[in-house]
Amino acid sequence: MKVAKFGGTSLANAEQIKKVCQIVMADRDRRLIVVSAPGKRNKEDTKVTDLLIAYAERSLAGEPTEEAKQAIFLRYREIVADLGLSAEIGQAIEAELEEVLANKAGLSTERFMDAVKAAGEDTCAKVVARYLQSLGEVATYINPKDAGMLVTDEASNAHILPEAYAKLATLREREGIVIFPGFFGYSRAGDLVTFSRGGSDITGSILAAAVEAEVYENFTDVDSVYVVNPNLIANPKKVTEITYREMRELSYSGFSVFHEEALIPAYQADIPVCIKNTNNPSAPGTMIVAERGAATNGVSGIASDGGFCSIYVSKYLMNREIGFGRKLLQILEEEELSYEHTPSGIDNISVILRERDLTEEKEQRIVERIRRELFADDVAVQHSLALVMIVGEGMRQSVGTTARATTALAAAKINLEMINQGSSEVSMMFGVKAEEADRAVIALYQEFFGGEEPVVSSSSQAASISV
Amino acid sequence: MKVAKFGGTSLANAEQIKKVCQIVMADRDRRLIVVSAPGKRNKEDTKVTDLLIAYAERSLAGEPTEEAKQAIFLRYREIVADLGLSAEIGQAIEAELEEVLANKAGLSTERFMDAVKAAGEDTCAKVVARYLQSLGEVATYINPKDAGMLVTDEASNAHILPEAYAKLATLREREGIVIFPGFFGYSRAGDLVTFSRGGSDITGSILAAAVEAEVYENFTDVDSVYVVNPNLIANPKKVTEITYREMRELSYSGFSVFHEEALIPAYQADIPVCIKNTNNPSAPGTMIVAERGAATNGVSGIASDGGFCSIYVSKYLMNREIGFGRKLLQILEEEELSYEHTPSGIDNISVILRERDLTEEKEQRIVERIRRELFADDVAVQHSLALVMIVGEGMRQSVGTTARATTALAAAKINLEMINQGSSEVSMMFGVKAEEADRAVIALYQEFFGGEEPVVSSSSQAASISV
């Protein structure tokens, strides 16, 4: 049994939905299908989810909502018509949608917003189920409440509850194809709550874990994950196979293919994830697995992310002071800041954090507190840093990866503000000035993938083809 | 005005003391002289301080002490005789020493131990003063209590009290040469308290800061600091000039020339420190200064230290958890462990600490607490690590130092368990397996100092000659 999830562009119009259904029907193991809300049909288009949010905001503000509502209906009407579904089916689906949009009474602002947003996926799932039925398939829409998708009661940021898995596992027994709307579940009290934005990936991952799927296929609009941002390198090498840990490190630093939280259920249940392209389903895609073959290049991806800053603290004999680091981190915690890394020398430590979290006011207060409470000799904040990461499971076993990377960076005249590589890690991190990040990534790509270097895990390509 | 401190081997016998006095008399600016207790005359010899400790332990244990006492007296009698001082002077000095050794009544164990230990330096200072007088010099022994060396009341681990400096500054006004015993001061209550072992360096540094000396000369038995441990490289390059920060980083990782704490007062008062050789006073020695000239090699020293271990902790999405790092460090703090570094990836962090501090019992408890309280996915302790450090102020400005270092290490087939280099740092740290540390140091020395590389700061050698 396979769980297949389709993203917004895969469901943007009838033509795309037809592709989706062809993909589903091409493999009888694809029995649990998770759908997003219809996405953009072209660059200027608006996603249905954004139309729904606009509607909800107007409604909550007491402004006229008719136009906003019609914009939503129009999208689905077009899809229903172009799929050749009957007017009755269209009207029935629209009536249920209208009921959700109208049902504001008795709901808190947050609950109403979540309910309206979720209607995008929910309606889409109904449409897809109807279309598959029209093709003669045994296909059923299922409501997440009936399916047992029990989540925490955090509006717009739900998390799955452990007890949900047992009931969801029974989806395995259902006959035919089950169409499951992504993005939301229900609290123990029965209220609809959505995951964080883009959370249909999470729904798919949870279902794949629950039914112990042989694979979780995540259909999007790219052929595969690339070893580097295609905006920096034309036609970069593709990643055919990558581990959960590698993917997680790359997601963190700018790879936005897959929702960060979505890997967790699949990872915990050891379900391989396959990133595939709805528009090119015969391409092998990228497999995310627990372990890769050993016969691979040490490096599997290069990424960078800007918007970091560092707080540098020095104090003579700091490292003999028990509790210094803990107190420093406590100050950050009291300012509700999470941090990324803490490279340190003997008498100094730098805390790397996201710049967006550090308001000017917080910065002043933190610097002042470090001086006053920790008696630091020196405190300095450096802004506009980028972190460049090389990720690869095989990296540590291969003596010389660091040498190759730093030599390439030195040749590109990039100064390293910071290096961080811990034991048992699958990544190496370089702190550079933001304006040098792109050049750093390009230099590293050329070193590890340019020229004669083989594509990452090309030797295991056969194994990674999932269809 | 110069403060000159002489170490134990410089005062081991009359011949050495004569050298010391010649050095003192050769420069009229050497007006404040700090002396250690007589050290070893040869490899098999025992330092006077160790004789004193043995005496105090026997005395405290109620065992016969006569033999132990005579061994101490014998050392000073020989020195007094060989210096040609009169029997009266010898008897007077010995009487004062005997009084200290006998004065156990009313003192706590710790106080008695400190008083006896300090007698080594105190007696030596009296002898040196008498000898200089015999040569016609205006020389005075001064007692640290009279001089105002006010310290905290921590037995065998005193620290200077800030208010001491004003009174000590008046030493500047004294006529002739002042001989000051190192290693101890007096608490506010008037009790004698010693610094930590080797603390005569601290006395000298405090005095140099107090009198605003033009230089603090620290006479020992080596010509200079070397860029690497001479046990690993025959005739290594000498360091002619080094900054306080560089020295501190090197002291931390195996350079034992200078007491770790002793740099602080000099550093704070910006007094240059010169490490010189009593047995070869015309050698320029090593200058420790606030800033070095720019025209120097990027690297000024290479050191390594073993006995480290790492606690590796991984947890999926760790970096989104505010307070994770703080809680981890709090567990260590509650176990009274200080740590050295915390290199980290996205979802993992390693804590590097001294192996000697981590008993088996503590290790078990900590691993268990990390699992239970932090819900870590994985906790692993790696033993027998060494930290190899490259230190140099100019390192960060020089693009490519990291590349050279890691390439040299890769060529020597040394696997890097960890790399740590923070912003604004003067050092780069590599974690390697303990058994590979020496090979790593040698490879780095050959890269940065072997072959055609110039001696560190050789270009500024003229400026660094302090006499």
Side-chain angles (χ1 to χ4, degrees):
Chain A
M1 182 172 191
K2 293 176 180 173
V3 172
K5 181 258 168 183
F6 294 87
T9 55
S10 303
L11 301 148
N13 57 27
E15 192 193 341
Q16 288 297 92
I17 291 176
K18 285 176 183 171
K19 285 187 198 167
V20 165
C21 292
Q22 272 156 23
I23 290 168
V24 170
M25 286 153 57
D27 185 341
R28 304 320 294 183
D29 287 336
R30 290 185 177 127
R31 284 171 45 212
L32 192 44
I33 310 302
V34 178
V35 296
S36 294
K40 292 183 179 187
R41 290 159 295 187
N42 53 60
K43 269 201 170 173
E44 287 69 42
D45 201 12
T46 307
K47 294 176 180 179
V48 165
T49 303
D50 288 322
L51 295 177
L52 288 163
I53 291 171
Y55 167 85
E57 283 171 350
R58 292 188 74 83
S59 175
L60 288 166
E63 293 166 9
T65 55
E66 194 52 30
E67 202 179 322
K69 191 165 75 179
Q70 290 306 322
I72 300 159
F73 289 169
L74 194 65
R75 285 293 301 270
Y76 286 110
R77 272 177 213 157
E78 247 183 54
I79 289 171
V80 166
D82 292 351
L83 287 174
L85 296 176
S86 71
E88 289 79 36
I89 288 175
Q91 281 154 18
I93 289 173
E94 192 168 305
E96 287 174 18
L97 172 57
E98 181 143 36
E99 205 185 306
V100 173
L101 300 187
N103 185 26
K104 199 168 62 175
L107 289 187
S108 69
T109 302
E110 288 175 334
R111 288 257 175 276
F112 178 64
M113 181 56 88
D114 271 11
V116 170
K117 280 194 295 184
E121 279 73 9
D122 202 47
T123 309
C124 189
K126 290 170 186 168
V127 171
V128 171
R130 289 294 198 167
Y131 178 64
L132 281 168
Q133 289 162 10
S134 78
L135 298 177
E137 291 290 330
V138 180
T140 339
Y141 155 83
I142 192 163
N143 183 283
K145 192 182 227 168
D146 301 332
M149 182 64 83
L150 267 181
V151 298
T152 58
D153 195 9
E154 304 161 81
S156 297
N157 192 31
H159 293 93
I160 189 71
L161 288 168
E163 64 258 41
Y165 281 98
K167 176 125 190 237
L168 291 171
T170 64
L171 290 171
R172 219 184 147 79
E173 316 307 328
R174 294 241 172 184
E175 210 185 336
I177 304 164
V178 174
I179 315 298
F180 203 109
F183 189 38
F184 66 100
Y186 286 83
S187 69
R188 286 194 184 110
D191 292 317
L192 187 156
V193 199
T194 67
F195 296 120
S196 55
R197 186 85 198 245
S200 293
D201 283 348
I202 303 176
T203 303
S205 185
I206 290 168
L207 293 181
V211 303
E212 294 173 30
E214 63 182 277
V215 66
Y216 169 33
E217 295 177 317
N218 195 283
F219 283 85
T220 172
D221 53 4
V222 291
D223 270 3
S224 74
V225 174
Y226 296 99
V227 299
V228 74
N229 183 345
N231 294 331
L232 291 178
I233 302 279
N235 302 315
K237 302 281 164 82
K238 291 171 183 172
V239 176
T240 45
E241 199 181 26
I242 192 168
T243 67
Y244 299 114
R245 298 206 301 169
E246 289 173 326
M247 192 64 202
R248 162 80 178 121
E249 304 259 345
L250 289 170
S251 304
Y252 165 82
S253 45
F255 272 50
S256 58
V257 174
F258 198 56
H259 194 290
E260 202 174 36
E261 277 175 57
L263 269 182
I264 306 176
Y267 161 76
Q268 286 169 342
D270 200 9
I271 311 292
V273 179
C274 186
I275 309 284
K276 289 181 73 72
N277 190 352
T278 299
N279 304 315
N280 185 17
S282 64
T286 297
M287 283 296 274
I288 311 174
V289 293
E291 281 180 32
R292 303 198 276 127
T296 57
N297 187 342
V299 174
S300 56
I302 297 163
S304 79
D305 201 8
F308 292 94
C309 61
S310 75
I311 304 174
Y312 167 84
V313 182
S314 75
K315 182 178 182 185
Y316 206 82
L317 292 184
M318 174 193 290
N319 93 316
R320 290 165 46 134
E321 210 174 301
I322 289 184
F324 189 93
R326 195 267 306 158
K327 285 178 212 151
L328 176 61
L329 297 184
Q330 183 115 38
I331 289 176
L332 293 179
E333 192 178 341
E334 283 164 17
E335 292 290 345
E336 293 179 333
L337 290 172
S338 69
Y339 70 94
E340 309 292 316
H341 302 281
T342 54
S344 56
I346 305 304
D347 287 334
N348 58 62
I349 181 167
S350 297
V351 183
I352 313 296
L353 59 167
R354 298 254 178 207
E355 217 153 24
R356 60 164 188 253
D357 299 334
L358 189 68
T359 62
E360 212 169 300
E361 192 200 339
K362 279 193 183 185
E363 176 176 330
Q364 278 180 10
R365 207 160 47 217
I366 287 170
V367 169
E368 171 58 24
R369 284 190 65 185
I370 293 171
R371 277 193 218 283
R372 204 183 52 231
E373 296 172 26
L374 302 185
F375 305 99
D377 295 338
D378 192 15
V379 188
V381 179
Q382 186 180 6
H383 287 276
S384 298
L385 291 176
L387 298 185
V388 175
M389 313 231 344
I390 308 182
V391 174
E393 292 276 352
M395 225 164 59
R396 274 193 59 251
Q397 274 64 51
S398 132
V399 167
T401 306
T402 317
R404 285 179 67 187
T406 53
T407 303
L409 293 171
K413 301 259 181 287
I414 287 155
N415 209 357
L416 300 177
E417 303 291 319
M418 186 182 55
I419 307 176
N420 196 352
Q421 184 209 328
S423 50
S424 304
E425 280 188 30
V426 298
S427 68
M428 191 178 297
M429 194 194 73
F430 301 103
V432 302
K433 293 204 170 64
E435 64 267 26
E436 296 188 336
D438 286 354
R439 283 202 300 117
V441 170
I442 291 166
L444 291 170
Y445 179 85
Q446 286 167 343
E447 172 62 28
F448 289 103
F449 298 102
E452 302 311 301
E453 286 301 316
V455 180
V456 166
S457 72
S458 61
S459 61
S460 56
Q461 186 154 333
S464 75
I465 297 173
S466 66
V467 285
Chain B
M1 182 172 191
K2 293 174 181 172
V3 172
K5 180 259 167 183
F6 294 87
T9 55
S10 302
L11 301 148
N13 56 28
E15 192 194 342
Q16 288 297 93
I17 291 176
K18 285 176 184 172
K19 285 187 199 167
V20 165
C21 292
Q22 269 155 25
I23 290 168
V24 170
M25 287 153 57
D27 185 342
R28 306 319 294 182
D29 287 336
R30 291 186 175 127
R31 283 170 45 214
L32 192 43
I33 310 303
V34 177
V35 296
S36 294
K40 292 184 181 186
R41 290 160 294 187
N42 53 59
K43 272 202 168 172
E44 286 68 41
D45 202 10
T46 306
K47 294 176 181 181
V48 165
T49 303
D50 288 321
L51 295 177
L52 288 162
I53 291 171
Y55 168 85
E57 283 171 349
R58 293 188 73 83
S59 174
L60 287 166
E63 293 167 8
T65 56
E66 193 52 30
E67 203 180 322
K69 190 165 75 177
Q70 289 306 323
I72 300 159
F73 287 170
L74 193 65
R75 285 294 299 268
Y76 287 110
R77 272 179 213 155
E78 246 183 54
I79 289 171
V80 165
D82 292 350
L83 287 174
L85 296 176
S86 71
E88 289 77 36
I89 289 177
Q91 281 153 17
I93 289 174
E94 193 170 305
E96 288 174 19
L97 172 58
E98 181 143 35
E99 204 184 308
V100 172
L101 300 188
N103 185 24
K104 197 169 64 175
L107 289 187
S108 69
T109 302
E110 288 175 335
R111 289 258 176 276
F112 178 64
M113 181 57 88
D114 271 11
V116 170
K117 280 194 293 185
E121 279 73 9
D122 202 49
T123 307
C124 188
K126 289 171 187 168
V127 171
V128 172
R130 289 295 197 166
Y131 179 63
L132 281 168
Q133 288 162 12
S134 78
L135 298 176
E137 292 291 328
V138 179
T140 338
Y141 155 82
I142 193 164
N143 182 283
K145 191 182 227 168
D146 301 333
M149 182 64 81
L150 267 179
V151 297
T152 59
D153 196 10
E154 304 160 81
S156 298
N157 191 31
H159 293 92
I160 190 73
L161 287 168
E163 65 258 39
Y165 281 99
K167 176 126 190 241
L168 291 172
T170 64
L171 289 172
R172 222 184 147 77
E173 317 306 330
R174 295 243 172 180
E175 212 186 332
I177 304 162
V178 174
I179 315 298
F180 202 108
F183 189 40
F184 67 100
Y186 286 83
S187 70
R188 287 195 185 107
D191 292 317
L192 186 156
V193 200
T194 68
F195 296 120
S196 55
R197 184 89 198 240
S200 293
D201 283 349
I202 303 176
T203 303
S205 185
I206 290 167
L207 293 181
V211 303
E212 294 174 30
E214 63 181 278
V215 65
Y216 168 33
E217 295 177 317
N218 194 284
F219 283 85
T220 172
D221 53 4
V222 292
D223 270 4
S224 75
V225 174
Y226 296 100
V227 299
V228 73
N229 183 344
N231 294 331
L232 292 178
I233 301 280
N235 302 313
K237 301 283 164 84
K238 292 171 183 174
V239 176
T240 46
E241 200 180 26
I242 193 168
T243 68
Y244 299 115
R245 297 206 302 167
E246 290 173 325
M247 192 63 204
R248 162 79 178 121
E249 303 257 347
L250 289 172
S251 302
Y252 165 81
S253 44
F255 273 49
S256 59
V257 175
F258 199 55
H259 194 291
E260 203 175 35
E261 275 175 59
L263 269 181
I264 307 176
Y267 161 77
Q268 286 169 343
D270 201 8
I271 311 293
V273 178
C274 187
I275 309 283
K276 288 181 74 72
N277 190 351
T278 299
N279 304 315
N280 183 19
S282 64
T286 298
M287 282 297 275
I288 311 175
V289 294
E291 282 179 32
R292 301 198 277 128
T296 56
N297 186 342
V299 174
S300 57
I302 296 162
S304 79
D305 202 6
F308 292 95
C309 61
S310 77
I311 304 174
Y312 167 84
V313 183
S314 77
K315 182 178 182 183
Y316 207 81
L317 292 183
M318 174 193 292
N319 94 316
R320 291 165 46 135
E321 211 175 300
I322 289 185
F324 189 92
R326 195 268 306 156
K327 284 177 213 152
L328 176 61
L329 298 185
Q330 183 114 38
I331 289 175
L332 293 180
E333 192 178 340
E334 284 165 13
E335 293 289 344
E336 293 181 331
L337 289 173
S338 68
Y339 69 95
E340 308 293 315
H341 303 282
T342 55
S344 56
I346 306 304
D347 288 334
N348 56 62
I349 182 167
S350 298
V351 183
I352 313 296
L353 59 166
R354 297 255 179 204
E355 219 153 24
R356 62 164 186 253
D357 299 335
L358 189 68
T359 60
E360 212 170 300
E361 192 200 339
K362 279 193 182 184
E363 177 177 329
Q364 279 183 7
R365 208 158 47 217
I366 287 170
V367 168
E368 171 59 25
R369 284 190 65 185
I370 293 171
R371 279 193 216 281
R372 204 182 52 230
E373 297 172 25
L374 303 183
F375 304 99
D377 295 338
D378 192 15
V379 187
V381 179
Q382 186 180 6
H383 287 277
S384 299
L385 291 175
L387 298 184
V388 175
M389 313 232 343
I390 307 183
V391 175
E393 291 276 352
M395 225 163 59
R396 273 194 58 251
Q397 275 64 52
S398 133
V399 167
T401 307
T402 317
R404 286 178 64 188
T406 53
T407 304
L409 292 171
K413 302 259 182 290
I414 288 157
N415 209 358
L416 300 178
E417 303 291 320
M418 186 182 55
I419 306 177
N420 197 352
Q421 183 207 329
S423 51
S424 304
E425 281 188 32
V426 299
S427 68
M428 191 178 297
M429 194 194 73
F430 301 102
V432 301
K433 293 202 171 65
E435 63 268 27
E436 296 189 336
D438 286 353
R439 282 201 301 118
V441 169
I442 291 166
L444 291 170
Y445 179 85
Q446 283 166 346
E447 172 62 29
F448 290 103
F449 298 101
E452 302 310 300
E453 288 299 316
V455 180
V456 167
S457 75
S458 61
S459 61
S460 57
Q461 185 154 331
S464 74
I465 296 174
S466 66
V467 285

